Amino acid sequence: MSEPIRMRTPRTVIRLLDPEEAELLRRYRVENREHLRPWEPLRTETHYTAEGCRLAIEAGLEAARADRGFPFVVLTPDGSEIIATFTLANVVRGVFQACHLGYGIARKHEGQGLMVEALDAAIRYAFGPLDFHRVMANYMPRNDRSGRLLARLGFEKEGYAKRYLKIEGLWEDHVLTAKIRAQG
């Protein structure tokens, strides 16, 4: 990862954050704390502090440098606000060439097509420069919006995992989906 990764869509800029931008991430996390709570693991109070955000950004940059994961933010064109976040995580290379996709969007930006726009760019980047063969994304059965989003992006259901991830302190079932690169 020698050059900074940057993607553009008609309405967003997508990139990794710099540690100096911790306040931008803190504001997104605090403003969307209740909105995102049902879909995330339990969070400590540190998650919502500038220092916690700075440490998370630094860890994310190290993960990207090591090709382990890519924690992107989706920004307004002027870079003043985080619209959404997504991570290409759990990178496995070798014969698998795959990652998991996780994502969330700010409450005030829901329903405008911004997530599909950003994730479409992300998937093209994953299958292009990152050279993944498979991108996997899983969602809780009660999260209809997420299921529809993934279907719209071309993800196919591959299975159902009982008590798959611990979300908000409870082991939650998940629908397993994946999108596979068309060629290669």
Side-chain angles (χ1 to χ4, degrees):
M1 194 186 81
S2 54
E3 285 187 35
I5 302 168
R6 184 177 294 267
M7 294 170 262
R8 291 190 180 275
T9 73
R11 299 179 289 167
T12 72
V13 172
I14 303 166
R15 62 178 175 79
L16 303 173
L17 286 177
D18 293 316
E20 306 81 57
E21 296 174 297
E23 180 57 29
L24 189 62
L25 181 58
R26 188 200 67 79
R27 192 169 63 238
Y28 171 82
R29 286 179 171 181
V30 168
E31 288 173 2
N32 293 285
R33 184 175 188 162
E34 293 306 313
H35 170 62
L36 296 174
R37 183 187 309 261
W39 319 113
E40 295 186 333
L42 290 174
R43 303 291 191 190
T44 65
E45 285 305 311
T46 305
H47 182 78
Y48 302 98
T49 66
E51 179 63 8
C53 290
R54 185 186 63 73
L55 291 172
I57 293 167
E58 288 175 353
L61 290 171
E62 178 54 34
R65 276 191 290 277
D67 194 33
R68 292 189 321 265
F70 300 87
F72 289 102
V73 293
V74 181
L75 298 158
T76 53
D78 67 1
S80 66
E81 180 184 358
I82 296 175
I83 295 168
T85 63
F86 68 86
T87 302
L88 300 171
N90 305 322
V91 171
V92 179
R93 293 298 184 178
V95 298
F96 198 38
Q97 295 294 340
C99 68
H100 280 97
L101 169 65
Y103 50 88
I105 188 165
R107 177 188 303 274
K108 73 181 192 177
H109 292 292
E110 280 187 314
Q112 301 171 39
L114 290 163
M115 198 81 243
V116 74
E117 183 178 311
L119 291 183
D120 180 64
I123 292 161
R124 282 186 276 110
Y125 190 79
F127 290 149
L130 292 178
D131 197 30
F132 289 118
H133 171 71
R134 167 185 287 266
V135 176
M136 299 167 289
N138 308 317
Y139 66 93
M140 288 182 278
R142 62 186 163 90
N143 192 343
D144 293 330
R145 285 185 94 140
S146 196
R148 287 191 307 271
L149 171 66
L150 291 170
R152 186 171 170 193
L153 289 165
F155 282 75
E156 296 181 30
K157 291 181 184 176
E158 294 193 322
Y160 189 92
K162 291 190 171 287
R163 298 171 47 95
Y164 184 68
L165 291 176
K166 199 169 191 179
I167 303 295
E168 203 183 5
L170 300 172
W171 288 101
E172 294 275 358
D173 294 356
H174 279 69
V175 176
L176 309 179
T177 73
K179 184 167 183 165
I180 298 169
R181 185 168 60 189
Q183 76 286 346

